[in-house]
């Protein structure tokens, strides 16, 4: 029997939300969360600099992602909540942890969304070079904002079809990749596909094992959004049945879509042939003579960018409302529409995206590289919140204070702490990379964010504690 906190299930986190997300929506949102621009576009540059050993980085981060999802799944079944890790961090770590993790998550999506919505304009210029980039980005933002404001069901439907397109593209590449690797197809220039390319051009570790470790932060950022499943829990019909299957499916998706794709990329061509300026998938499709490969992949990359922005608006709207309910975010961020949509939080994130579109013309590219590096730290902070909250939850179940669901974190609490150590190592390694953006993020941006969060908490803690007392009083009356 799945244990759920019945007293608060419908009064905390889920209050005011509908249940418009069906099983197929949640399943495909889970898939969409694990396939993004980081795979379709960013893996080319990483493959060139790291070599075939990049597959190890994806495997290590994928294992961490699996434990994060299992920790999240157990918490989500204990209490389905659109406040997700903010709700769990408050209960099992402390109010300050909910505040810090919520704003770190918002920072992640705010910076990521700005980069992605701007990228949409860049990708569209392939077909319409005369179209100003800002107009395309603005139109895309307007459409996504409208979809998020209509209803959660409309959001789920759009994300479903975004995910379908991405999955079709990945499956097509996997089929082509397996065929050419077995067939030993001629890739041009005297190069043939096959396992031998995994050790061509300097071996499996052409630049050493150290670069594999240094790449972990970027790979974790590529995995960001898999936690979307937890946020959908508060608007999912029958979460006890839907969520375990969605969470478990993340493991094989990571293995097949990410690890499988990187492995096949390594077999298709020597790593030296890839670069950061072109999608590695387009390169492989083009080498085997698939017509219009560039145009088809451009559609997929645009879809991935739109999907990312769509998810950002959805998730931050729910997280900001959870913060606003405790006085930890501007009051208007907690506003709900008659359609059961957190319009205030969505609007706040959309304003940041809009400002980013404008700033893109005045801020150099390096600033966006720094923003995404800081966003990667936001992902790690979110994952750490899930893991530590789950460890504290399990400690309380062992004392008999709470009932543990049948869907559980395997190997807890040792897997919790082991994964937390791994994530801490990833952050520390940012200080040893040659990439300027990551070094600035580690030595300046991360400490700066910590200072801002401490000051912010000192400013709102009285309102937060007062809201918590009012909430406890209301729950006591209900019980």
């Amino acid at each position: 029997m799945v244990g759920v906190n019945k007293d608060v299930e419908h009064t905390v986190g889920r209050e005011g939300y509908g249940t418009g997300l069906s099983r197929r929506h949640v399943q495909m949102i889970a898939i969409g969360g694990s396939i993004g621009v980081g795979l379709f576009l960013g893996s080319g540059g990483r493959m060139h600099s790291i070599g075939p050993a990049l597959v190890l980085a994806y495997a290590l981060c994928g294992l961490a992602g699996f434990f994060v999802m299992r920790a999240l799944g157990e918490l989500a079944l204990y209490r389905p909540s659109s406040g997700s890790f903010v709700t769990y961090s408050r209960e099992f770590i402390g109010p300050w942890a909910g505040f810090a993790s919520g704003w770190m998550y918002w920072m992640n999506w705010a910076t990521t969304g700005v980069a992605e919505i701007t990228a949409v304009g860049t990708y569209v210029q392939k077909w319409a070079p005369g179209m100003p980039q800002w107009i395309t980005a603005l139109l895309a933002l307007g459409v996504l904002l409208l979809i998020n404001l209509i209803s959660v069901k409309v959001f789920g439907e759009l994300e479903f079809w975004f995910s379908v397109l991405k999955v079709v593209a990945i499956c097509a590449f996997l089929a082509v990749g397996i065929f050419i690797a077995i067939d030993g197809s001629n890739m041009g220039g005297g190069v043939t596909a096959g396992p031998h390319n995994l050790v061509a051009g300097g071996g499996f570790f052409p630049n050493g094992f150290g670069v594999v470790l240094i790449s972990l932060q970027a790979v974790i950022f590529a995995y960001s959004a898999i936690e979307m499943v937890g946020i959908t829990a508060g608007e999912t019909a029958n979460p006890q049945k839907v969520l375990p299957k969605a969470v478990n499916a993340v493991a094989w998706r990571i293995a097949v879509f990410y690890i499988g794709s990187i492995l096949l990329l390594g077999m298709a061509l020597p790593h030296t042939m890839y670069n950061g300026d072109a999608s590695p998938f387009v390169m492989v499709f083009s080498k085997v003579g698939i017509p219009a490969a560039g145009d088809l992949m451009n559609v997929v990359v645009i879809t991935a960018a739109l999907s990312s922005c769509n998810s950002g608006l959805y998730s931050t709207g729910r997280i900001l409302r959870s913060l606003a309910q405790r006085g930890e975010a501007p009051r208007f961020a907690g506003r709900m529409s008659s359609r059961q949509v957190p319009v205030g939080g969505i609007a706040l994130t959309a304003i940041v995206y809009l400002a980013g579109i404008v700033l893109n013309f005045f801020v150099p590219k390096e600033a966006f590289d720094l923003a995404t590096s800081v966003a990667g730290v936001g992902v790690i902070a979110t994952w750490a919140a899930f893991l530590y909250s789950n460890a504290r939850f399990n400690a309380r179940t062992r004392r008999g204070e709470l009932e543990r669901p049948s869907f559980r974190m395997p190997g807890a609490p040792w897997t919790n702490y082991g994964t937390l150590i791994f994530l801490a190592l990833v952050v520390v390694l940012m200080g040893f990379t040659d990439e300027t953006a990551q070094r600035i993020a580690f030595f300046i941006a991360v400490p700066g964010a910590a200072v801002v969060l401490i000051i912010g908490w000192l400013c709102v803690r009285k309102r937060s504690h007062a809201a918590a007392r009012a909430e406890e009083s209301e729950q006591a009356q209900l019980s």
Side-chain angles (χ1 to χ4, degrees):
M1 176 180 178
V2 174
V4 179
N5 191 334
K6 302 291 185 182
D7 295 334
V8 296
E9 179 182 0
H10 299 293
T11 61
V12 177
R14 302 189 75 181
E15 184 180 280
Y17 290 108
T19 53
L21 295 178
S22 66
R23 177 178 176 179
R24 72 181 177 90
H25 290 144
V26 175
Q27 290 281 5
M28 292 307 289
I29 287 172
I31 293 176
S34 59
I35 305 174
V37 175
L39 175 63
F40 287 122
L41 198 60
S43 55
R46 287 192 288 272
M47 177 65 81
H48 178 83
S49 61
I50 297 168
L54 177 64
V55 71
L56 296 181
Y58 275 90
L60 286 171
C61 294
L63 181 61
F66 166 74
F67 285 125
V68 167
M69 291 303 298
R70 288 300 298 258
L72 168 60
E74 183 173 3
L75 291 169
L77 289 183
Y78 158 74
R79 176 185 294 175
S81 170
S82 286
S84 193
F85 54 90
V86 172
T87 302
Y88 309 136
S89 296
R90 283 175 183 159
E91 181 173 357
F92 299 112
I93 305 176
W96 65 269
F99 170 82
S101 61
W103 279 110
M104 284 292 288
Y105 187 73
W106 181 84
M107 178 189 69
N108 163 36
W109 274 113
T111 52
T112 301
V114 167
E116 298 283 21
I117 200 71
T118 303
V120 171
T122 303
Y123 302 142
V124 170
Q125 285 185 328
K126 175 181 173 61
W127 300 313
M131 174 74 75
Q133 179 179 324
W134 69 270
I135 292 180
T136 307
L138 187 61
L139 288 173
L141 176 59
V143 172
L144 294 179
L145 179 60
L146 179 63
I147 287 167
N148 271 270
L149 293 179
I150 293 174
S151 73
V152 69
K153 186 174 182 180
V154 174
F155 159 80
E157 197 65 31
L158 179 66
E159 200 58 31
F160 173 84
W161 290 108
F162 277 165
S163 297
V164 166
L165 180 58
K166 290 188 286 186
V167 169
V168 168
I170 286 291
C171 290
F173 171 76
L174 292 174
V176 171
I178 291 172
F179 173 78
I180 64 175
I182 295 175
D183 181 63
S185 300
N186 183 4
M187 306 299 285
V191 174
T192 58
H196 61 276
N197 285 325
L198 294 174
V199 292
F204 191 70
F205 296 96
N207 296 307
F209 183 69
V211 292
V212 176
L213 296 177
I214 296 299
S215 72
L216 293 175
Q217 186 268 347
V219 173
I220 282 184
F221 180 70
Y223 280 135
S224 64
I226 61 174
E227 70 282 343
M228 278 286 296
V229 177
I231 297 176
T232 64
E235 296 174 271
T236 303
N238 195 9
Q240 285 75 28
K241 182 178 180 180
V242 172
L243 289 179
K245 294 181 179 180
V247 169
N248 277 335
V250 169
W252 68 261
R253 289 179 192 124
I254 287 174
V256 174
F257 293 146
Y258 272 94
I259 300 173
S261 294
I262 297 299
L263 189 62
L264 287 172
L265 284 174
M267 292 184 186
L269 297 168
H271 75 95
T272 52
M273 295 184 67
Y274 295 108
N275 60 72
D277 297 325
S279 168
F281 295 86
V282 171
M283 291 186 66
V284 173
F285 282 142
S286 300
K287 292 289 185 181
V288 296
I290 294 180
D295 288 330
L296 292 172
M297 190 52 61
N298 204 46
V299 171
V300 175
V301 173
I302 290 174
T303 298
L306 289 172
S307 176
S308 178
C309 295
N310 196 38
S311 298
L313 288 171
Y314 171 85
S315 59
T316 54
R318 274 72 185 167
I319 295 302
L320 285 172
R321 181 178 183 243
S322 181
L323 292 169
Q325 287 175 321
R326 288 289 187 92
E328 298 168 2
R331 184 176 299 177
F332 78 87
R335 289 189 57 186
M336 290 284 284
S337 72
S338 59
R339 296 176 177 272
Q340 299 173 311
V341 172
V343 292
I346 291 173
L348 180 58
T349 302
I351 290 170
V352 175
Y353 286 2
L354 180 61
I357 293 172
V358 175
L359 286 174
N360 181 55
F361 296 97
F362 305 101
V363 179
K365 178 183 180 298
E366 289 75 12
F368 280 95
D369 291 339
L370 174 60
T372 54
S373 293
V374 176
V377 178
V379 176
I380 292 173
T382 302
W383 286 15
F386 287 136
L387 291 162
Y388 192 56
S389 296
N390 180 270
R392 296 290 294 269
F393 166 72
N394 281 311
R396 291 181 62 179
T397 63
R398 288 192 296 272
R399 293 195 297 267
E401 298 173 9
L402 298 172
E403 181 182 356
R404 193 177 182 190
S406 57
F407 184 75
R408 302 177 177 181
M409 169 72 161
W414 305 112
T415 47
N416 297 72
Y417 294 122
T419 309
L420 283 169
I421 291 172
F422 172 76
L423 294 178
L425 175 64
V426 172
V427 174
V428 171
L429 286 171
M430 290 176 63
F432 296 90
T433 180
D434 292 331
E435 295 184 18
T436 303
Q438 287 199 31
R439 289 177 65 85
I440 293 176
F442 179 76
F443 288 109
I444 299 177
V446 172
V451 171
V452 170
L453 287 173
I454 291 172
I455 294 173
W457 174 244
L458 292 176
C459 292
V460 305
R461 62 177 178 175
K462 289 184 179 180
R463 292 200 302 270
S464 178
H465 291 324
R469 288 192 294 269
E471 187 178 277
E472 290 172 359
S473 176
E474 181 181 352
Q475 291 177 18
Q477 292 177 2
L478 289 173
S479 60

